[in-house]
Amino acid sequence: MNNNDYIIRLEETKDYRDNENLVRESFWNVYRPGCMEHYLLHCLRTDSEFVQELDLVMEKANRLIGQIICVRAKLKTDDGRTVPVLTLGPIGIIPEFKRKGYGKILLDYALKKAKNMGFGAVFLEGNIDFYGKSGFTYSSDFGIRYHDMSVQDDTSFFLCRELIPGYLDGITGKYETPQGYYIDEDGIEEFDKQFPYKEKLKLPGQLFE
């Protein structure tokens, strides 16, 4: 996809390091001192559940300014079935282009492409204030629990959007995070040494230490 302002295209091998640095800049000191999302992207590219067709970058003036990836996931229903779904993220926009609408453009493009590929529903962890603008709602509204958290726990971070209307009708159960999202802390630290030094700061609102 392209217009006079930006291009959305598949990530290519030549983009790998620039894209990892983009993700690092986008997430640095947001959810934790430093970040882990650039290493997560690096690891997920070789995961068997990684969806190559939804590994997208946004380019403006020959510079990468945004990215998004998706991974196949599963729901374990209360009646014993396994339902295929999609997990989205990370999605990142470099700081100077945040809050200018590019993130929503990239997200909506990826969701449309995922629907055209036949995916029925997509799940993610995020802020309803942003993702709600693209049709996401709380997964609990669909009767879907986050792993082994109970219905009494606060799972307002766990969001869902049906891509095929009615895909989740009659389903209650548990979402399982794809194994590729579980990465080790030592690996993060070693990988980050390949990038220019950035100061890790503990800031208000971070979720992890």
Side-chain angles (χ1 to χ4, degrees):
M1 175 183 181
N2 66 81
N3 66 13
N4 294 330
D5 186 49
Y6 62 84
I7 295 172
I8 298 176
R9 61 173 175 80
L10 292 174
E11 183 189 39
E12 301 175 18
T13 304
K14 65 180 177 64
D15 302 317
Y16 282 4
R17 182 44 53 95
D18 285 345
N19 202 16
E20 290 160 0
N21 193 61
L22 181 161
V23 173
R24 185 174 184 252
E25 292 292 326
S26 178
F27 286 93
W28 195 259
N29 291 333
V30 174
Y31 296 114
R32 57 190 282 163
C35 74
M36 49 75 73
E37 285 81 4
H38 58 319
Y39 181 56
L40 176 61
L41 169 62
H42 176 77
C43 295
L44 283 175
R45 288 195 191 102
T46 57
D47 190 273
S48 61
E49 300 303 320
F50 187 70
V51 184
Q52 301 287 346
E53 299 90 339
L54 296 173
D55 176 17
L56 304 169
V57 295
M58 175 178 273
E59 191 175 67
K60 178 180 173 71
N62 297 315
R63 176 190 179 194
L64 296 186
I65 68 165
Q67 61 74 227
I68 190 170
I69 62 170
C70 295
V71 177
R72 294 178 183 87
K74 297 175 181 177
L75 302 179
K76 294 291 187 179
T77 68
D78 293 332
D79 59 7
R81 291 176 290 153
T82 298
V83 177
V85 294
L86 196 64
T87 293
L88 188 151
I91 171 175
I93 300 291
I94 58 173
E96 66 192 86
F97 286 101
K98 287 184 177 181
R99 291 174 290 278
K100 297 181 184 295
Y102 290 106
K104 185 178 187 304
I105 291 170
L106 182 58
L107 174 60
D108 289 347
Y109 179 85
L111 293 173
K112 182 178 180 179
K113 187 171 184 180
K115 179 179 180 179
N116 290 339
M117 291 174 65
F119 289 102
V122 57
F123 290 80
L124 56 81
E125 299 173 34
N127 189 325
I128 190 67
D129 291 339
F130 172 73
Y131 290 102
K133 297 174 183 176
S134 292
F136 283 84
T137 188
Y138 301 112
S139 298
S140 57
D141 292 347
F142 291 96
I144 306 301
R145 303 183 301 278
Y146 185 76
H147 298 295
D148 54 358
M149 296 178 72
S150 73
V151 293
Q152 287 78 32
D153 294 324
D154 180 11
T155 57
S156 57
F157 63 90
F158 181 43
L159 309 178
C160 172
R161 178 180 159 181
E162 279 189 321
L163 300 177
I164 298 174
Y167 187 78
L168 298 175
D169 284 358
I171 292 177
T172 61
K174 179 176 68 174
Y175 164 85
E176 295 188 348
T177 297
Q179 286 299 309
Y181 282 88
Y182 296 99
I183 56 178
D184 66 279
E185 290 291 329
D186 290 340
I188 298 169
E189 293 300 318
E190 284 301 310
F191 184 68
D192 197 61
K193 292 177 182 178
Q194 301 176 27
F195 296 82
Y197 172 79
K198 289 176 70 70
E199 184 179 5
K200 295 181 180 180
L201 299 174
K202 184 170 178 57
L203 302 174
Q206 289 176 342
L207 302 178
F208 308 101
E209 298 187 3

